[in-house]
C-alpha cells in the first residue's frame, strides 16, 4: 500500500480450488466473475453464500461472455 494505489490479484475458480479463499484474507475488496454461458450450479450458490459472508469485502460482480446481441447502450 506504500508503493501502489491498487493491486489486482486473480485467483482460480472458488468452486474448484481453495487458493482463492486464502487470497481473500489479503484483499480489501473482492469482485467475483461469472460466465453468462453457464447456469449457476449448487456449488456456485454455495460460493455466493460465501461471498456474502466475507464481512463487506464483496465489491460487486462481473458477468462476462455476454453475447453482443444482448448489449445495449
Amino acid at each position: 500500500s506504500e508503493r501502489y494505489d491498487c493491486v489486482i490479484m486473480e485467483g482460480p475458480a472458488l468452486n474448484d480450488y481453495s487458493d482463492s479463499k486464502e487470497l481473500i484474507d489479503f484483499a480489501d475488496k473482492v469482485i467475483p466473475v461469472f460466465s453468462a454461458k453457464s447456469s449457476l450450479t449448487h456449488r456456485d450458490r454455495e460460493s455466493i453464500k460465501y461471498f456474502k459472508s466475507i464481512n463487506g469485502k464483496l465489491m460487486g460482480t462481473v458477468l462476462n461472455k455476454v453475447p453482443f446481441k444482448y448489449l445495449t447502450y
Side-chain angles (χ1 to χ4, degrees), residues 21-66:
K21 286 184 179 180
E22 293 174 14
L23 287 174
I24 288 172
D25 291 338
F26 299 99
D28 293 325
K29 296 292 180 184
V30 174
I31 304 172
V33 179
F34 292 92
S35 172
K37 293 190 175 189
S38 62
S39 299
L40 289 178
T41 64
H42 175 72
R43 292 173 72 193
D44 293 326
R45 294 181 204 292
E46 291 298 317
S47 294
I48 291 168
K49 284 182 188 177
Y50 173 75
F51 288 131
K52 290 179 179 180
S53 75
I54 56 174
N55 300 326
K57 288 187 175 187
L58 183 62
M59 186 174 178
T61 59
V62 173
L63 181 63
N64 69 357
K65 299 183 182 178
V66 176

Short mmCIF file of all heavy atoms in Angstrom, two decimals, residues 21-66:
data_model
loop_
_atom_site.label_atom_id
_atom_site.label_comp_id
_atom_site.label_asym_id
_atom_site.label_seq_id
_atom_site.Cartn_x
_atom_site.Cartn_y
_atom_site.Cartn_z
N LYS A 21 -9.84 -18.52 -1.59
CA LYS A 21 -10.25 -18.17 -0.23
C LYS A 21 -9.06 -17.67 0.57
O LYS A 21 -9.20 -16.76 1.40
CB LYS A 21 -10.90 -19.36 0.47
CG LYS A 21 -12.29 -19.65 -0.04
CD LYS A 21 -12.94 -20.77 0.75
CE LYS A 21 -14.34 -21.03 0.24
NZ LYS A 21 -15.00 -22.11 0.98
N GLU A 22 -7.90 -18.22 0.33
CA GLU A 22 -6.70 -17.76 1.02
C GLU A 22 -6.31 -16.35 0.57
O GLU A 22 -5.87 -15.54 1.38
CB GLU A 22 -5.56 -18.74 0.79
CG GLU A 22 -5.81 -20.09 1.44
CD GLU A 22 -4.76 -21.12 1.10
OE1 GLU A 22 -3.69 -20.74 0.58
OE2 GLU A 22 -5.02 -22.31 1.34
N LEU A 23 -6.48 -16.05 -0.71
CA LEU A 23 -6.16 -14.71 -1.22
C LEU A 23 -7.09 -13.66 -0.64
O LEU A 23 -6.69 -12.51 -0.44
CB LEU A 23 -6.25 -14.68 -2.75
CG LEU A 23 -5.14 -15.38 -3.52
CD1 LEU A 23 -5.45 -15.38 -5.02
CD2 LEU A 23 -3.80 -14.72 -3.26
N ILE A 24 -8.34 -14.03 -0.37
CA ILE A 24 -9.32 -13.07 0.15
C ILE A 24 -8.86 -12.47 1.47
O ILE A 24 -9.14 -11.31 1.76
CB ILE A 24 -10.71 -13.73 0.26
CG1 ILE A 24 -11.27 -13.94 -1.15
CG2 ILE A 24 -11.66 -12.91 1.10
CD1 ILE A 24 -12.55 -14.76 -1.21
N ASP A 25 -8.11 -13.22 2.25
CA ASP A 25 -7.60 -12.70 3.52
C ASP A 25 -6.68 -11.50 3.31
O ASP A 25 -6.55 -10.64 4.19
CB ASP A 25 -6.83 -13.78 4.28
CG ASP A 25 -7.73 -14.89 4.80
OD1 ASP A 25 -8.95 -14.66 4.95
OD2 ASP A 25 -7.22 -16.00 5.04
N PHE A 26 -6.04 -11.41 2.15
CA PHE A 26 -5.11 -10.32 1.87
C PHE A 26 -5.74 -9.20 1.05
O PHE A 26 -5.08 -8.21 0.75
CB PHE A 26 -3.88 -10.86 1.11
CG PHE A 26 -3.13 -11.89 1.90
CD1 PHE A 26 -3.32 -13.23 1.67
CD2 PHE A 26 -2.25 -11.50 2.90
CE1 PHE A 26 -2.64 -14.19 2.41
CE2 PHE A 26 -1.56 -12.45 3.65
CZ PHE A 26 -1.76 -13.79 3.40
N ALA A 27 -7.01 -9.35 0.69
CA ALA A 27 -7.68 -8.38 -0.18
C ALA A 27 -8.55 -7.42 0.62
O ALA A 27 -9.12 -7.80 1.65
CB ALA A 27 -8.54 -9.13 -1.20
N ASP A 28 -8.64 -6.19 0.12
CA ASP A 28 -9.57 -5.23 0.71
C ASP A 28 -10.97 -5.43 0.14
O ASP A 28 -11.97 -5.27 0.84
CB ASP A 28 -9.12 -3.80 0.43
CG ASP A 28 -7.83 -3.44 1.13
OD1 ASP A 28 -7.61 -3.94 2.26
OD2 ASP A 28 -7.03 -2.70 0.56
N LYS A 29 -11.03 -5.75 -1.15
CA LYS A 29 -12.30 -5.94 -1.84
C LYS A 29 -12.21 -7.16 -2.76
O LYS A 29 -11.13 -7.53 -3.20
CB LYS A 29 -12.67 -4.72 -2.69
CG LYS A 29 -12.91 -3.47 -1.88
CD LYS A 29 -14.16 -3.59 -1.04
CE LYS A 29 -14.40 -2.33 -0.22
NZ LYS A 29 -15.53 -2.45 0.66
N VAL A 30 -13.36 -7.76 -3.05
CA VAL A 30 -13.43 -8.94 -3.90
C VAL A 30 -14.48 -8.70 -4.99
O VAL A 30 -15.56 -8.18 -4.69
CB VAL A 30 -13.83 -10.18 -3.06
CG1 VAL A 30 -14.05 -11.39 -3.94
CG2 VAL A 30 -12.78 -10.46 -2.01
N ILE A 31 -14.13 -9.07 -6.23
CA ILE A 31 -15.07 -8.98 -7.35
C ILE A 31 -15.09 -10.33 -8.05
O ILE A 31 -14.20 -10.65 -8.83
CB ILE A 31 -14.65 -7.88 -8.36
CG1 ILE A 31 -14.50 -6.53 -7.66
CG2 ILE A 31 -15.68 -7.79 -9.49
CD1 ILE A 31 -13.91 -5.45 -8.53
N PRO A 32 -16.11 -11.16 -7.78
CA PRO A 32 -16.19 -12.45 -8.48
C PRO A 32 -16.63 -12.26 -9.93
O PRO A 32 -17.32 -11.29 -10.26
CB PRO A 32 -17.23 -13.23 -7.68
CG PRO A 32 -18.01 -12.22 -6.93
CD PRO A 32 -17.14 -11.02 -6.77
N VAL A 33 -16.23 -13.19 -10.78
CA VAL A 33 -16.57 -13.16 -12.21
C VAL A 33 -17.38 -14.41 -12.53
O VAL A 33 -16.97 -15.53 -12.21
CB VAL A 33 -15.30 -13.12 -13.08
CG1 VAL A 33 -15.66 -13.12 -14.56
CG2 VAL A 33 -14.46 -11.89 -12.73
N PHE A 34 -18.54 -14.21 -13.17
CA PHE A 34 -19.41 -15.31 -13.58
C PHE A 34 -19.56 -15.27 -15.09
O PHE A 34 -19.56 -14.21 -15.70
CB PHE A 34 -20.79 -15.19 -12.93
CG PHE A 34 -20.79 -15.39 -11.46
CD1 PHE A 34 -20.65 -14.31 -10.59
CD2 PHE A 34 -20.90 -16.66 -10.91
CE1 PHE A 34 -20.65 -14.49 -9.22
CE2 PHE A 34 -20.90 -16.85 -9.54
CZ PHE A 34 -20.77 -15.77 -8.70
N SER A 35 -19.70 -16.43 -15.69
CA SER A 35 -19.88 -16.54 -17.14
C SER A 35 -21.36 -16.58 -17.48
O SER A 35 -22.13 -17.33 -16.86
CB SER A 35 -19.22 -17.82 -17.66
OG SER A 35 -19.56 -18.02 -19.02
N ALA A 36 -21.76 -15.80 -18.49
CA ALA A 36 -23.14 -15.81 -18.95
C ALA A 36 -23.45 -17.07 -19.75
O ALA A 36 -24.60 -17.35 -20.05
CB ALA A 36 -23.41 -14.57 -19.81
N LYS A 37 -22.42 -17.83 -20.10
CA LYS A 37 -22.62 -19.02 -20.92
C LYS A 37 -22.87 -20.28 -20.10
O LYS A 37 -22.95 -21.37 -20.65
CB LYS A 37 -21.44 -19.23 -21.85
CG LYS A 37 -21.35 -18.15 -22.90
CD LYS A 37 -20.35 -18.49 -23.96
CE LYS A 37 -20.40 -17.42 -25.04
NZ LYS A 37 -19.63 -17.79 -26.18
N SER A 38 -22.97 -20.15 -18.79
CA SER A 38 -23.24 -21.33 -17.97
C SER A 38 -24.29 -21.00 -16.92
O SER A 38 -24.44 -19.85 -16.51
CB SER A 38 -21.96 -21.84 -17.32
OG SER A 38 -21.44 -20.87 -16.45
N SER A 39 -25.00 -22.00 -16.51
CA SER A 39 -26.02 -21.84 -15.47
C SER A 39 -25.37 -21.93 -14.09
O SER A 39 -24.33 -22.56 -13.93
CB SER A 39 -27.07 -22.95 -15.58
OG SER A 39 -27.70 -22.89 -16.83
N LEU A 40 -25.99 -21.30 -13.13
CA LEU A 40 -25.49 -21.40 -11.76
C LEU A 40 -25.77 -22.80 -11.23
O LEU A 40 -26.88 -23.31 -11.34
CB LEU A 40 -26.18 -20.38 -10.85
CG LEU A 40 -25.81 -18.93 -11.06
CD1 LEU A 40 -26.61 -18.04 -10.11
CD2 LEU A 40 -24.33 -18.71 -10.83
N THR A 41 -24.75 -23.39 -10.65
CA THR A 41 -24.88 -24.72 -10.07
C THR A 41 -25.05 -24.59 -8.56
O THR A 41 -24.94 -23.49 -8.00
CB THR A 41 -23.62 -25.56 -10.35
OG1 THR A 41 -22.51 -24.94 -9.67
CG2 THR A 41 -23.33 -25.66 -11.84
N HIS A 42 -25.29 -25.70 -7.91
CA HIS A 42 -25.38 -25.70 -6.45
C HIS A 42 -24.06 -25.19 -5.84
O HIS A 42 -24.07 -24.41 -4.88
CB HIS A 42 -25.69 -27.11 -5.94
CG HIS A 42 -25.69 -27.20 -4.45
ND1 HIS A 42 -26.68 -26.64 -3.67
CD2 HIS A 42 -24.79 -27.75 -3.59
CE1 HIS A 42 -26.39 -26.85 -2.39
NE2 HIS A 42 -25.26 -27.53 -2.32
N ARG A 43 -22.95 -25.60 -6.43
CA ARG A 43 -21.64 -25.14 -5.93
C ARG A 43 -21.48 -23.64 -6.10
O ARG A 43 -20.89 -22.96 -5.26
CB ARG A 43 -20.53 -25.90 -6.63
CG ARG A 43 -20.51 -27.38 -6.23
CD ARG A 43 -19.53 -28.17 -7.03
NE ARG A 43 -18.18 -27.84 -6.62
CZ ARG A 43 -17.09 -28.17 -7.29
NH1 ARG A 43 -17.19 -28.86 -8.41
NH2 ARG A 43 -15.89 -27.84 -6.85
N ASP A 44 -22.01 -23.09 -7.21
CA ASP A 44 -21.96 -21.64 -7.42
C ASP A 44 -22.78 -20.92 -6.34
O ASP A 44 -22.37 -19.90 -5.82
CB ASP A 44 -22.52 -21.27 -8.79
CG ASP A 44 -21.65 -21.75 -9.93
OD1 ASP A 44 -20.42 -21.78 -9.79
OD2 ASP A 44 -22.22 -22.10 -10.99
N ARG A 45 -23.92 -21.47 -6.02
CA ARG A 45 -24.77 -20.87 -4.99
C ARG A 45 -24.07 -20.89 -3.63
O ARG A 45 -24.20 -19.94 -2.84
CB ARG A 45 -26.11 -21.57 -4.92
CG ARG A 45 -26.94 -21.38 -6.18
CD ARG A 45 -28.30 -22.07 -6.08
NE ARG A 45 -28.88 -22.38 -7.36
CZ ARG A 45 -29.33 -21.52 -8.26
NH1 ARG A 45 -29.23 -20.24 -8.03
NH2 ARG A 45 -29.85 -21.93 -9.40
N GLU A 46 -23.34 -21.95 -3.36
CA GLU A 46 -22.55 -22.01 -2.11
C GLU A 46 -21.46 -20.94 -2.12
O GLU A 46 -21.19 -20.31 -1.10
CB GLU A 46 -21.93 -23.40 -1.93
CG GLU A 46 -22.94 -24.49 -1.64
CD GLU A 46 -23.69 -24.26 -0.34
OE1 GLU A 46 -23.06 -23.87 0.66
OE2 GLU A 46 -24.91 -24.47 -0.34
N SER A 47 -20.85 -20.72 -3.28
CA SER A 47 -19.82 -19.67 -3.40
C SER A 47 -20.44 -18.30 -3.16
O SER A 47 -19.83 -17.45 -2.49
CB SER A 47 -19.17 -19.71 -4.78
OG SER A 47 -18.45 -20.90 -4.95
N ILE A 48 -21.63 -18.08 -3.68
CA ILE A 48 -22.30 -16.79 -3.48
C ILE A 48 -22.59 -16.58 -2.00
O ILE A 48 -22.39 -15.47 -1.48
CB ILE A 48 -23.59 -16.72 -4.33
CG1 ILE A 48 -23.22 -16.65 -5.82
CG2 ILE A 48 -24.44 -15.53 -3.93
CD1 ILE A 48 -24.37 -16.86 -6.77
N LYS A 49 -23.02 -17.62 -1.31
CA LYS A 49 -23.23 -17.51 0.14
C LYS A 49 -21.92 -17.14 0.84
O LYS A 49 -21.89 -16.32 1.75
CB LYS A 49 -23.75 -18.83 0.71
CG LYS A 49 -25.19 -19.09 0.43
CD LYS A 49 -25.60 -20.41 1.07
CE LYS A 49 -26.99 -20.81 0.66
NZ LYS A 49 -27.38 -22.12 1.22
N TYR A 50 -20.82 -17.75 0.38
CA TYR A 50 -19.51 -17.44 0.97
C TYR A 50 -19.16 -15.97 0.74
O TYR A 50 -18.72 -15.28 1.66
CB TYR A 50 -18.44 -18.35 0.38
CG TYR A 50 -17.06 -17.96 0.83
CD1 TYR A 50 -16.62 -18.27 2.11
CD2 TYR A 50 -16.20 -17.26 0.00
CE1 TYR A 50 -15.37 -17.89 2.56
CE2 TYR A 50 -14.95 -16.87 0.42
CZ TYR A 50 -14.54 -17.19 1.70
OH TYR A 50 -13.30 -16.80 2.13
N PHE A 51 -19.38 -15.47 -0.48
CA PHE A 51 -19.07 -14.07 -0.78
C PHE A 51 -19.86 -13.13 0.12
O PHE A 51 -19.36 -12.08 0.52
CB PHE A 51 -19.34 -13.74 -2.24
CG PHE A 51 -18.34 -14.35 -3.20
CD1 PHE A 51 -18.77 -15.05 -4.31
CD2 PHE A 51 -16.99 -14.23 -2.98
CE1 PHE A 51 -17.86 -15.61 -5.19
CE2 PHE A 51 -16.07 -14.78 -3.85
CZ PHE A 51 -16.51 -15.48 -4.96
N LYS A 52 -21.08 -13.49 0.42
CA LYS A 52 -21.90 -12.65 1.29
C LYS A 52 -21.40 -12.65 2.73
O LYS A 52 -21.73 -11.74 3.49
CB LYS A 52 -23.36 -13.11 1.25
CG LYS A 52 -24.04 -12.83 -0.07
CD LYS A 52 -25.47 -13.34 -0.05
CE LYS A 52 -26.18 -13.04 -1.36
NZ LYS A 52 -27.58 -13.54 -1.34
N SER A 53 -20.61 -13.64 3.08
CA SER A 53 -20.15 -13.77 4.46
C SER A 53 -18.77 -13.17 4.72
O SER A 53 -18.25 -13.30 5.82
CB SER A 53 -20.13 -15.25 4.86
OG SER A 53 -19.02 -15.91 4.26
N ILE A 54 -18.15 -12.54 3.74
CA ILE A 54 -16.77 -12.07 3.91
C ILE A 54 -16.67 -10.63 4.41
O ILE A 54 -15.78 -9.88 4.03
CB ILE A 54 -15.92 -12.30 2.64
CG1 ILE A 54 -16.54 -11.64 1.42
CG2 ILE A 54 -15.69 -13.77 2.41
CD1 ILE A 54 -15.69 -11.72 0.17
N ASN A 55 -17.60 -10.26 5.25
CA ASN A 55 -17.52 -9.00 6.01
C ASN A 55 -17.36 -7.75 5.15
O ASN A 55 -16.44 -6.97 5.34
CB ASN A 55 -16.41 -9.07 7.04
CG ASN A 55 -16.61 -10.18 8.04
OD1 ASN A 55 -17.74 -10.48 8.38
ND2 ASN A 55 -15.53 -10.80 8.47
N GLY A 56 -18.23 -7.56 4.19
CA GLY A 56 -18.23 -6.33 3.42
C GLY A 56 -17.15 -6.22 2.37
O GLY A 56 -16.96 -5.15 1.80
N LYS A 57 -16.42 -7.28 2.08
CA LYS A 57 -15.37 -7.22 1.07
C LYS A 57 -15.93 -7.35 -0.35
O LYS A 57 -15.25 -7.00 -1.31
CB LYS A 57 -14.33 -8.32 1.29
CG LYS A 57 -13.44 -8.08 2.48
CD LYS A 57 -12.33 -9.10 2.53
CE LYS A 57 -11.36 -8.81 3.65
NZ LYS A 57 -10.19 -9.71 3.61
N LEU A 58 -17.16 -7.83 -0.48
CA LEU A 58 -17.74 -8.01 -1.81
C LEU A 58 -18.05 -6.65 -2.40
O LEU A 58 -18.85 -5.88 -1.88
CB LEU A 58 -19.01 -8.86 -1.72
CG LEU A 58 -19.68 -9.19 -3.05
CD1 LEU A 58 -18.75 -10.02 -3.93
CD2 LEU A 58 -20.98 -9.95 -2.82
N MET A 59 -17.38 -6.33 -3.52
CA MET A 59 -17.50 -5.02 -4.13
C MET A 59 -18.52 -4.99 -5.26
O MET A 59 -19.04 -3.94 -5.61
CB MET A 59 -16.13 -4.60 -4.67
CG MET A 59 -16.05 -3.23 -5.20
SD MET A 59 -14.33 -2.90 -5.61
CE MET A 59 -14.47 -1.27 -6.26
N GLY A 60 -18.81 -6.11 -5.83
CA GLY A 60 -19.72 -6.21 -6.96
C GLY A 60 -19.41 -7.50 -7.69
O GLY A 60 -18.68 -8.36 -7.17
N THR A 61 -19.95 -7.67 -8.87
CA THR A 61 -19.65 -8.85 -9.67
C THR A 61 -19.47 -8.46 -11.13
O THR A 61 -19.90 -7.39 -11.55
CB THR A 61 -20.78 -9.90 -9.59
OG1 THR A 61 -21.99 -9.30 -10.06
CG2 THR A 61 -20.99 -10.41 -8.19
N VAL A 62 -18.85 -9.36 -11.88
CA VAL A 62 -18.68 -9.18 -13.32
C VAL A 62 -19.37 -10.35 -14.00
O VAL A 62 -19.18 -11.50 -13.61
CB VAL A 62 -17.18 -9.14 -13.71
CG1 VAL A 62 -17.02 -9.13 -15.22
CG2 VAL A 62 -16.50 -7.94 -13.08
N LEU A 63 -20.18 -10.06 -15.00
CA LEU A 63 -20.79 -11.09 -15.83
C LEU A 63 -20.10 -11.01 -17.19
O LEU A 63 -20.28 -10.03 -17.92
CB LEU A 63 -22.29 -10.88 -15.96
CG LEU A 63 -23.06 -11.91 -16.78
CD1 LEU A 63 -22.96 -13.28 -16.12
CD2 LEU A 63 -24.51 -11.49 -16.95
N ASN A 64 -19.28 -12.02 -17.51
CA ASN A 64 -18.57 -11.99 -18.78
C ASN A 64 -19.19 -12.96 -19.78
O ASN A 64 -20.09 -13.72 -19.45
CB ASN A 64 -17.07 -12.22 -18.60
CG ASN A 64 -16.73 -13.64 -18.18
OD1 ASN A 64 -17.58 -14.48 -17.95
ND2 ASN A 64 -15.44 -13.91 -18.06
N LYS A 65 -18.69 -12.91 -20.99
CA LYS A 65 -19.16 -13.76 -22.09
C LYS A 65 -20.63 -13.53 -22.43
O LYS A 65 -21.35 -14.44 -22.81
CB LYS A 65 -18.89 -15.23 -21.81
CG LYS A 65 -17.41 -15.54 -21.65
CD LYS A 65 -17.17 -17.00 -21.43
CE LYS A 65 -15.68 -17.26 -21.23
NZ LYS A 65 -15.40 -18.67 -20.96
N VAL A 66 -21.09 -12.29 -22.27
CA VAL A 66 -22.46 -11.93 -22.65
C VAL A 66 -22.48 -11.74 -24.16
O VAL A 66 -21.69 -10.97 -24.70
CB VAL A 66 -22.91 -10.64 -21.95
CG1 VAL A 66 -24.28 -10.21 -22.41
CG2 VAL A 66 -22.87 -10.80 -20.44
#
